[in-house]
Amino acid sequence: MTETNNISFRQNVLETVVQTLHYEEPRTRNFQPITEITRLDEDLDLQCWSVAFFINALEEVTQLNLDTLLSDLNTIGDICDLVEQRFKSADKRLLMHKVFATKILPYLNTAPSIIATKTATTLKQKQVTQPKEQKMIQLLEGYNHAITPESVFYNVKQILLVQNNKKALNLSMDFQMIKDLKMFGSKLTNLVKELENRYQLPIVSQAQIQRAKTLQEFCAICAGDLNKGRIAVISGQQMAQNKR
């Protein structure tokens, strides 16, 4: 097993692995405590096919590609190593899009937008002879669901996790930006830039952001700007299409 100095992140990985194990194999709740040295076969009595189903469930939870030889997975620590290594090598932006699409978007009140997205995707597949610009415009027209403060919060949490911020583990919307998160000055500026990179959209209300007292206020301001940016992009693409 590889060693890591990031205890908080490693602990988060371990908890995710154990909770997923309990969900996939409820009887393992009786085997306590489960640690990194817990063996899958001798301690948990997991057969090869059980481990395979467990890894599939873990892929669903983490949205990571965990394809590997089952013979290399002997302990819970080996699985933690696998998750940690694949997370570090994953394209974080693509990973966030996958998480948003599978874990957040289905629970938003965006049924018409989802239908529009599916329609645009179907048209894109059928009209393969269309110019690239037109196909891109269709995709943007379908991808018009609102960016919510909750989705911004989720991205903030992921950013803080990647930065090894201990506060990320128990992060909540009522956290104070300065008192709890020490988020001001260059730290706040860098957080905003990271959000802009993830969404590929501008966040322009800098004065309001600086005055935001809670994380909920911060996320609401950012969501508002990101939605305005998305509308501007879609409108610009539509205008360009109409001129052709």
Side-chain angles (χ1 to χ4, degrees):
M1 295 182 292
T2 58
E3 295 183 359
T4 177
N5 293 324
N6 185 359
I7 299 175
S8 297
F9 178 72
R10 184 66 173 197
Q11 184 62 33
N12 191 40
V13 171
L14 176 60
E15 289 176 0
T16 300
V17 169
V18 173
Q19 289 175 12
T20 305
L21 174 66
H22 289 337
Y23 175 82
E24 185 65 23
E25 292 283 344
R27 64 182 181 80
T28 59
R29 295 179 184 276
N30 299 323
F31 298 92
Q32 295 294 340
I34 295 179
T35 65
E36 289 196 23
I37 63 173
T38 300
R39 297 190 63 82
L40 302 177
D41 51 357
E42 299 175 8
D43 299 326
L44 299 177
D45 194 28
L46 292 180
Q47 304 300 318
C48 185
W49 59 270
S50 298
V51 176
F53 283 121
F54 169 36
I55 295 300
N56 285 336
L58 196 57
E59 280 190 331
E60 178 66 20
V61 170
T62 63
Q63 293 298 300
L64 295 170
N65 178 8
L66 301 179
D67 185 30
T68 189
L69 294 175
L70 295 181
S71 58
D72 292 337
L73 303 177
N74 299 309
T75 67
I76 292 294
D78 291 336
I79 296 178
C80 290
D81 285 342
L82 177 64
V83 172
E84 185 174 356
Q85 291 164 6
R86 297 298 168 83
F87 177 82
K88 289 179 178 179
S89 62
D91 182 328
K92 302 302 187 299
R93 184 175 299 170
L94 177 60
L95 182 60
M96 288 303 101
H97 280 303
K98 289 171 63 179
V99 170
F100 181 82
T102 58
K103 303 298 182 183
I104 299 177
L105 182 58
Y107 300 99
L108 299 180
N109 185 22
T110 55
S113 298
I114 295 173
I115 294 172
T117 301
K118 291 182 178 179
T119 303
T121 303
T122 302
L123 288 172
K124 180 174 179 289
Q125 292 173 342
K126 290 182 178 179
Q127 301 174 6
V128 293
T129 58
Q130 281 188 313
K132 180 179 179 182
E133 292 77 12
Q134 285 185 305
K135 288 189 286 185
M136 185 179 298
I137 291 168
Q138 283 192 341
L139 181 61
L140 285 171
E141 287 175 346
Y143 193 67
N144 61 356
H145 56 269
I147 297 173
T148 66
E150 288 75 19
S151 71
V152 175
F153 168 78
Y154 188 87
N155 275 278
V156 169
K157 182 166 185 175
Q158 291 299 321
I159 291 169
L160 296 182
L161 282 172
V162 171
Q163 294 175 350
N164 305 329
N165 190 317
K166 295 180 179 179
K167 293 287 185 179
L169 295 176
N170 300 308
L171 196 66
S172 65
M173 284 284 210
D174 59 359
F175 270 39
Q176 299 285 319
M177 293 296 289
I178 297 179
K179 181 180 178 181
D180 297 326
L181 297 176
K182 305 294 186 287
M183 195 62 66
F184 56 89
S186 60
K187 287 186 177 180
L188 183 58
T189 301
N190 291 336
L191 176 61
V192 171
K193 287 181 179 178
E194 181 63 29
L195 285 171
E196 289 179 324
N197 290 335
R198 286 170 179 249
Y199 284 99
Q200 290 294 290
L201 292 167
I203 298 174
V204 298
S205 303
Q206 299 299 327
Q208 294 181 46
I209 287 173
Q210 294 292 335
R211 293 195 296 268
K213 294 182 179 180
T214 66
L215 183 55
Q216 183 169 11
E217 292 178 20
F218 171 81
C219 291
I221 294 169
C222 291
D225 279 0
L226 292 169
N227 283 314
K228 291 177 183 177
R230 174 168 288 175
I231 292 172
V233 170
I234 295 172
S235 298
Q237 294 286 356
Q238 289 176 334
M239 289 178 61
Q241 184 185 27
N242 293 335
K243 289 180 179 179
R244 293 190 179 96

